Amino acid sequence: MEPTWAIRPQGFDIEQVRQAMVKSSLNEKIQFINSTDNVIELIEAFGQLMSREEIEFGAEPLAGLHVAGMMLFMLHHNDLASTQVQRTLFMQRCFDYMACTEETHVHDLCTQILLLWDVNQSDNMLNLILCCRYASPLGTMAQIVGSCLLWAMLDKLTDLGFDEYRLRPYPELMMAIAMVNPLVYLQNYLHSLNLIVRVIAALLIAGPYGSTEKLRNEVGVPEHVLEFPNADAAVLFRWLNTIIEELRDELQVRDGHVQERMIILEASCELLKLVHAHLADYYQSLYSIADFEDDGFVSDQQCDNDTDFEWLL
């Protein structure tokens, strides 16, 4: 019988959270996790530890706290909508607690997080990708740690040979794209392709297609590290377009992978739309409509129809 994998992020039940926390250095401090499965009660209990600064600085204890923040954010419970704000603020607070963006600390922190969060299981990787995507806009520390974890997962999926967890120049995405032949992956590694597309999307949202001002101004990350060149984006666009075109044909095949093909098509279209929007803005800035104002100067009015530039993509 073929193994079954989750094809969308599934979240966690309380037992999975407890199993992760047992492995953390916080275990003795958080015995309350065994006496309740109420997410608000758990958030309040962790919050008290942070308020009293009972969680000391260091990669191991902070990794446990970050994992708790992310797993409780995705904890299964009734009426998820009513706790959305509390869970989001809690995850933000966990990342901001004793935040330190020094490279060695971030590397050690990510190492410990990945020991607690077993990304060898694709279900866990899907969940972590989603957590990093949601966490990255919440603060500088969340953005840095989330980005480093996403690069680590991309390395695991494509064997890029990274030897440390750190922010990386976005042109390095092209190494992964060059190694992932859509035609081969659609035939033989469908599940990996699903994960790769999701990681790339999350990386772009956490970096050049999101907000990078604080990383540049507060942390001093060089601008070139946070830019995704438009020439590379155009290659990514064509790569995604190949996936989408092939999937449209393969959707006619009725086998056990129809649903996963649909999910990959959905994720690829979402990312394609994101890349297209940024490329369209770029090309519009290059090919603005030149006409003359009443004062004789050339107008910088831009075209307002993205489709005018689709041929350039």
Side-chain angles (χ1 to χ4, degrees):
M1 183 176 178
E2 291 187 4
T4 58
W5 292 298
I7 55 179
R8 289 186 187 275
Q10 300 295 308
F12 298 100
D13 60 41
I14 188 61
E15 286 306 318
Q16 290 174 296
V17 180
R18 288 168 179 162
Q19 289 168 15
M21 291 296 99
V22 163
K23 297 185 292 182
S24 82
S25 65
L26 299 180
N27 185 39
E28 292 185 4
K29 298 179 185 290
I30 58 170
Q31 289 304 302
F32 55 78
I33 203 168
N34 297 311
S35 59
T36 182
D37 60 1
N38 183 289
V39 68
I40 299 301
E41 291 178 3
L42 291 169
I43 286 172
E44 290 175 351
F46 274 103
Q48 289 174 13
L49 289 179
M50 286 187 276
S51 295
R52 296 193 296 262
E53 295 189 356
E54 292 186 28
I55 300 173
E56 61 271 20
F57 178 80
E60 289 189 30
L62 292 180
L65 183 62
H66 291 185
V67 169
M70 290 187 285
M71 294 188 85
L72 290 183
F73 177 75
M74 296 192 69
L75 180 67
H76 296 309
H77 59 282
N78 294 329
D79 199 9
L80 285 163
S82 69
T83 65
Q84 177 74 28
V85 173
Q86 293 98 318
R87 288 182 289 114
T88 302
L89 291 175
F90 174 65
M91 181 165 63
Q92 180 182 34
R93 186 179 180 187
C94 290
F95 277 106
D96 287 344
Y97 180 81
M98 294 190 179
C100 172
T101 59
E102 192 272 326
E103 281 194 3
T104 301
H105 173 70
V106 170
H107 169 81
D108 293 342
L109 184 59
C110 291
T111 300
Q112 294 300 320
I113 289 172
L114 292 171
L115 288 174
L116 298 175
W117 197 305
D118 183 12
V119 292
N120 290 315
Q121 297 184 37
S122 62
D123 298 16
N124 286 343
M125 186 178 286
L126 276 167
N127 286 332
L128 185 55
I129 293 168
L130 185 64
C131 279
C132 292
R133 180 168 175 165
Y134 276 112
S136 62
L138 298 179
T140 304
M141 192 65 185
Q143 189 173 14
I144 291 174
V145 173
S147 296
C148 292
L149 291 172
L150 289 166
W151 280 113
M153 287 184 279
L154 186 63
D155 175 42
K156 186 171 186 64
L157 290 165
T158 59
D159 196 21
L160 294 173
F162 296 156
D163 57 1
E164 58 183 329
Y165 305 124
R166 60 176 175 82
L167 297 178
R168 296 183 176 277
Y170 274 82
E172 292 191 17
L173 280 177
M174 304 314 293
M175 294 191 297
I177 291 169
M179 295 174 69
V180 178
N181 184 326
L183 303 181
V184 173
Y185 271 69
L186 285 168
Q187 292 299 318
N188 303 297
Y189 309 107
L190 202 58
H191 192 66
S192 293
L193 185 61
N194 181 23
L195 294 166
I196 290 166
V197 170
R198 289 174 181 272
V199 169
I200 292 173
L203 271 169
L204 290 173
I205 290 169
Y209 291 175
S211 174
T212 60
E213 183 177 356
K214 287 187 176 181
L215 292 180
R216 288 183 279 109
N217 296 338
E218 297 179 7
V219 185
V221 178
E223 191 166 346
H224 75 273
V225 173
L226 301 170
E227 292 180 342
F228 188 47
N230 289 299
D232 291 346
V235 174
L236 174 58
F237 185 95
R238 292 193 293 272
W239 182 79
L240 290 165
N241 197 53
T242 300
I243 293 173
I244 291 167
E245 291 300 320
E246 289 297 319
L247 280 172
R248 284 173 176 163
D249 293 335
E250 291 189 13
L251 286 177
Q252 308 304 318
V253 179
R254 298 299 174 184
D255 57 16
H257 301 289
V258 173
Q259 188 177 7
E260 185 153 30
R261 291 191 187 97
M262 289 291 293
I263 297 301
I264 297 172
L265 181 61
E266 175 187 301
S268 299
C269 286
E270 179 192 22
L271 179 52
L272 187 80
K273 184 178 179 180
L274 180 67
V275 175
H276 175 268
H278 284 78
L279 283 175
D281 288 344
Y282 167 69
Y283 285 124
Q284 281 188 336
S285 70
L286 288 182
Y287 298 93
S288 58
I289 300 173
D291 58 10
F292 290 89
E293 304 285 9
D294 293 337
D295 58 7
F297 288 96
V298 176
S299 168
D300 61 355
Q301 176 188 357
Q302 294 184 353
C303 293
D304 58 2
N305 185 356
D306 288 355
T307 58
D308 291 343
F309 299 94
E310 288 183 354
W311 64 274
L312 290 166
L313 305 179

